[in-house]
Amino acid sequence: DTGVSQDPRHKITKRGQNVTFRCDPISEHNRLYWYRQTLGQGPEFLTYFQNEAQLEKSRLLSDRFSAERPKGSFSTLEIQRTEQGDSAMYLCASRLDRGDEKLFFGSGTQLSVL
Amino acid sequence: GESVGLHLPTLSVQEGDNSIINCAYSNSASDYFIWYKQESGKGPQFIIDIRSNMDKRQGQRVTVLLNKTVKHLSLQIAATQPGDSAVYFCGFNQAGTALIFGKGTTLSVSS
């Protein structure tokens, strides 16, 4: 257990529905990252926050995706009007913004869009 | 563009053998490299990292080698055990950007 918690672990939804995932990072970590991983692939970067500020977003992140970190602690990732291509593992990771650069990953949320 | 790749998608070894997992990267400006292990149904777990001012770093049963001349990174696992069976990812970043990962090598250890 890395100390990064994600909820839910699994989500099954129908195409067109909205879903929201939550990530609780390690408490003293001010950087929080979202990645997406499909079967057989490495994690693909989506976006990251430093405290409550969203500092970078990948071109992969369509306008149906939105992420927030309102108080600089937990974060949510929302996908609107889900599509079957959104089916993937969504990983959250955290780290401090200085010193050691390694990321601590959560166990992920597995999304299946039917 | 930036990319991270691994030479082989799968690697099968016998218990007790040494394993070598390779990774090639394209961005010569990268200054930080990392290896993760991912077991089925779990998130990636940190193994070892190295900065570009080094060419070798050792951990417990693992060694990372960095060859900046040919942009190659490798992970060596000594005396491989069944518990080492997993998918291994290499990654890199540059100052101010997020880690970027390759596709992964699946290591299978038979006893």
Side-chain angles (χ1 to χ4, degrees), chain B residues 2-47:
Chain B
E2 300 172 349
S3 67
V4 181
L6 288 170
H7 292 297
L8 290 174
T10 60
L11 178 64
S12 297
V13 300
Q14 292 285 322
E15 183 178 1
D17 288 351
N18 296 332
S19 302
I20 300 176
I21 302 172
N22 296 305
C23 177
Y25 65 97
S26 61
N27 193 321
S28 59
S30 179
D31 62 0
Y32 178 77
F33 302 86
I34 194 165
W35 283 98
Y36 281 89
K37 171 186 179 183
Q38 187 173 25
E39 296 174 314
S40 181
K42 297 183 179 180
Q45 176 186 1
F46 168 79
I47 300 173

Side-chain angles (χ1 to χ4, degrees), chain A residues 71-111:
Chain A
K71 299 182 180 179
S73 56
F74 74 92
S75 176
T76 58
L77 177 68
E78 181 183 17
I79 308 174
Q80 295 182 326
R81 305 180 302 282
T82 52
E83 302 173 357
Q84 287 185 327
D86 297 331
S87 295
M89 173 77 83
Y90 289 84
L91 292 164
C92 175
S94 70
R95 56 163 278 212
L96 291 168
D97 68 349
R98 58 193 178 280
D100 201 342
E101 293 187 55
K102 67 175 177 278
L103 294 178
F104 293 81
F105 281 90
S107 296
T109 294
Q110 182 65 54
L111 173 66

